[in-house]
Structure formats: structure tokens, C-alpha cells
């Protein structure tokens, strides 16, 4: 949305460059909006975002972006300054509600929607592999097409993480029940005994990358499929990954 982009650029140039002492720069003056020309409410949002003066600055700006896009669509269809009337997405089928929540980074209803999906599907893992992954695939497609940007994707990842966290206790209980059915005591398991597993997998996020939502989802899915997962965290160097692989004698 050009209006938002230009406001952020104007704030950055004025606050972070000119006020910081920059006295020369090369810009396209024709395309550059002065900070005095930015609409006051948008200026406040841009300042909060660029100067990091509010913890929710990014979320507030993303909400403004959504509203600006809706108004743009109305204008394209020949409407004036019309009020945007939304059909509540809460009335959609559960799969579509989860997708909407993931795409828009809405975590408010994710626990109850995840529970509804869990009740409708055979196992908690089916919820992850089904509607949740379908929603994240939509996020991936939008990001690849340049229709979503990194801050929005991070919000989507937080919603996914919350949904998976809600399902984890149910999956752990499912594993306990399976062990009981096999005549094993789930409370008497040697953590060093890996003979019962289908294989051993080492998971890590490489140095320079702090985003671990994808790794965490893969770890959950592997664990539910009887793999022993060693997760050594984020920002891991090549040496630390190789050392851990030798230490745990992993298969992958």
C-alpha cells in the first residue's frame, strides 16, 4: 500500500536521518512525501513503528494496512468513501476459520477453533497435518507472491505455534495410551533407551536464523510418528550441529 510505504519512508528520513545529523542524501524528491504531508493518525502509527515506541506498533500498522487495502478495493469498484462492511469470518466452516486466522495473524480464537477441529478429526496430529498446514500453505503462497511480508508471516507463525501448543497435551496423552495398550508402563521409560523408536533425528536452526516455527512443527510430527527428536535450539553453528549429531548418533 503506497500510502503506508510513503509514510514510513517520510518518518525514517526525518527522524532517523535528518534529525540524526545527515546533511546530504540522494532521493527522488518527486516521489518523496514530506513528514508534514502525512495524515496525523498514520504519522503516529509510522513513528511508533519506526522508532519502536510501542510493543504493538507492528500489529497496529498491519491493521491500518488491511483497512487501506479494503478502501482501495472499494474505490476500484467505483465506490466513494464508503464504510467497509465485513461478513464475520467467525461464521465460516472450521477449516476456513483456521486459514483466516493464520493468514491474518489472529490468535484470539485459535484455542477454541483448534479444539473444534480436534473434535472433528480422528487425531490431534490430523489437525496439524490437515487444516493448520493447509492454512500455512496459503501463507507461504501469499508470501511467495509478494502479497504478504515478513512481519505478517511472523504473526501467522505465532498463531500456528499457539495452535500446536494447544494440541501437544492431547498428543502426549495419546502416546501414553498407546504405550499402555502395548503393555508398557509410560512412567517407567529409560530416556536413554532409543531402541523403541523408528529412528533418531537431530533438529536445529542454523546460525543467523532465530525463527524456529517450522522446525518445531516438524519435530512434533516426527515425534508423533515414533521418531526420537533431539532439538538443540536456534542459532546453532555448523560445529555444534555436527558435535550433537555424533553425540546422539542420529540417523538424520
Amino acid at each position: 500500500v503506497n500510502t503506508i510505504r510513503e509514510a514510513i519512508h517520510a518518518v525514517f528520513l526525518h527522524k532517523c536521518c535528518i534529525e540524526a545529523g545527515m546533511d546530504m542524501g540522494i532521493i527522488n524528491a518527486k516521489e518523496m512525501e514530506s513528514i508534514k504531508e502525512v495524515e496525523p493518525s498514520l504519522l503516529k502509527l509510522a513513528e511508533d513503528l519506526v522508532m519502536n515506541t510501542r510493543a504493538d506498533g507492528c500489529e497496529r500498522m498491519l491493521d491500518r494496512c488491511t483497512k487501506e487495502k479494503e478502501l482501495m478495493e472499494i474505490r476500484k469498484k467505483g465506490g466513494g468513501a464508503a464504510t467497509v462492511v465485513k461478513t464475520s469470518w467467525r461464521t465460516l466452516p472450521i477449516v476456513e476459520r483456521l486459514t483466516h486466522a493464520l493468514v491474518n495473524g489472529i490468535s484470539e480464537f485459535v484455542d477454541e477453533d483448534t479444539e473444534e477441529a480436534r473434535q472433528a478429526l480422528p487425531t490431534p496430529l490430523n489437525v496439524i497435518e490437515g487444516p493448520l498446514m493447509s492454512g500455512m500453505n496459503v501463507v507461504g503462497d501469499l508470501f511467495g507472491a509478494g502479497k504478504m511480508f515478513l512481519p505478517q508471516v511472523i504473526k501467522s507463525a505465532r498463531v500456528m505455534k499457539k495452535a500446536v501448543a494447544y494440541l501437544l497435551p492431547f498428543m502426549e496423552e495419546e502416546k501414553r495410551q498407546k504405550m499402555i495398550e502395548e503393555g508398557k508402563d509410560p512412567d517407567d521409560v529409560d530416556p536413554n533407551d532409543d531402541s523403541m523408536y523408528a529412528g533418531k533425528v537431530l533438529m536445529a536452526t542454523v546460525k543467523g536464523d532465530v525463527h524456529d516455527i517450522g522446525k518445531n512443527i516438524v519435530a512434533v510430527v516426527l515425534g508423533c510418528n515414533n521418531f526420537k527428536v533431539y532439538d538443540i535450539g536456534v542459532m546453532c553453528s555448523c560445529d555444534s550441529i555436527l558435535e550433537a549429531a555424533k553425540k546422539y548418533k542420529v540417523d538424520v
Side-chain angles (χ1 to χ4, degrees):
V1 180
N2 280 341
T3 304
I4 304 295
R5 177 177 57 79
E6 290 167 359
I8 293 173
H9 287 179
V11 169
F12 181 80
L13 179 64
H14 189 82
K15 296 284 186 179
C16 302
C17 298
I18 297 173
E19 289 187 358
M22 187 186 81
D23 54 16
M24 179 179 177
I26 301 174
I27 63 169
N28 185 344
K30 182 180 178 182
E31 298 292 331
M32 195 73 205
E33 188 174 48
S34 165
I35 194 169
K36 295 179 181 178
E37 297 175 303
V38 180
E39 189 268 322
S41 64
L42 179 56
L43 176 61
K44 181 67 170 65
L45 291 173
E47 288 178 340
D48 289 339
L49 177 67
V50 173
M51 306 306 294
N52 195 27
T53 54
R54 288 182 60 125
D56 61 348
C58 182
E59 286 76 11
R60 282 159 54 87
M61 183 59 88
L62 287 173
D63 289 341
R64 180 61 178 262
C65 285
T66 300
K67 292 174 183 176
E68 289 290 340
K69 286 180 180 178
E70 289 167 350
L71 290 172
M72 284 172 61
E73 290 302 315
I74 290 175
R75 294 187 193 106
K76 284 180 183 177
K77 295 174 183 177
T83 302
V84 179
V85 180
K86 298 181 182 178
T87 301
S88 176
W89 63 277
R90 301 300 303 155
T91 62
L92 296 171
I94 183 58
V95 174
E96 293 179 41
R97 291 207 305 274
L98 284 171
T99 297
H100 182 93
L102 287 164
V103 170
N104 292 279
I106 303 170
S107 60
E108 182 180 357
F109 307 100
V110 70
D111 283 355
E112 62 186 82
D113 285 348
T114 302
E115 172 61 20
E116 184 176 335
R118 187 183 73 84
Q119 295 287 348
L121 294 169
T123 68
L125 182 59
N126 291 140
V127 180
I128 295 174
E129 295 180 331
L132 290 177
M133 286 308 301
S134 294
M136 288 305 289
N137 285 339
V138 174
V139 172
D141 290 342
L142 291 171
F143 182 66
K147 295 180 180 178
M148 283 184 73
F149 302 97
L150 187 57
Q152 294 164 298
V153 174
I154 292 173
K155 283 185 70 178
S156 298
R158 288 174 185 160
V159 176
M160 181 70 171
K161 189 174 184 178
K162 186 176 180 181
V164 172
Y166 178 85
L167 292 169
L168 277 176
F170 297 103
M171 289 188 282
E172 289 298 324
E173 181 59 28
E174 199 174 62
K175 286 172 67 176
R176 284 179 60 87
Q177 291 302 319
K178 185 177 180 181
M179 291 183 71
I180 292 171
E181 290 169 7
E182 292 173 349
K184 301 174 184 175
D185 183 357
D187 298 317
D188 186 28
V189 177
D190 183 356
N192 298 315
D193 180 12
D194 53 30
S195 61
M196 68 182 78
Y197 294 104
K200 295 182 290 182
V201 180
L202 178 68
M203 302 290 295
T205 300
V206 296
K207 189 174 182 178
D209 189 357
V210 297
H211 302 116
D212 62 353
I213 182 63
K215 172 176 66 67
N216 293 342
I217 294 169
V218 172
V220 168
V221 173
L222 286 172
C224 292
N225 283 280
N226 200 35
F227 283 87
K228 175 70 172 178
V229 178
Y230 296 95
D231 187 344
I232 62 171
V234 300
M235 295 286 289
C236 300
S237 67
C238 292
D239 289 341
S240 65
I241 293 172
L242 291 173
E243 286 173 11
K246 292 175 183 177
K247 176 182 176 181
Y248 298 118
K249 299 178 182 178
V250 295
D251 302 301
V252 180

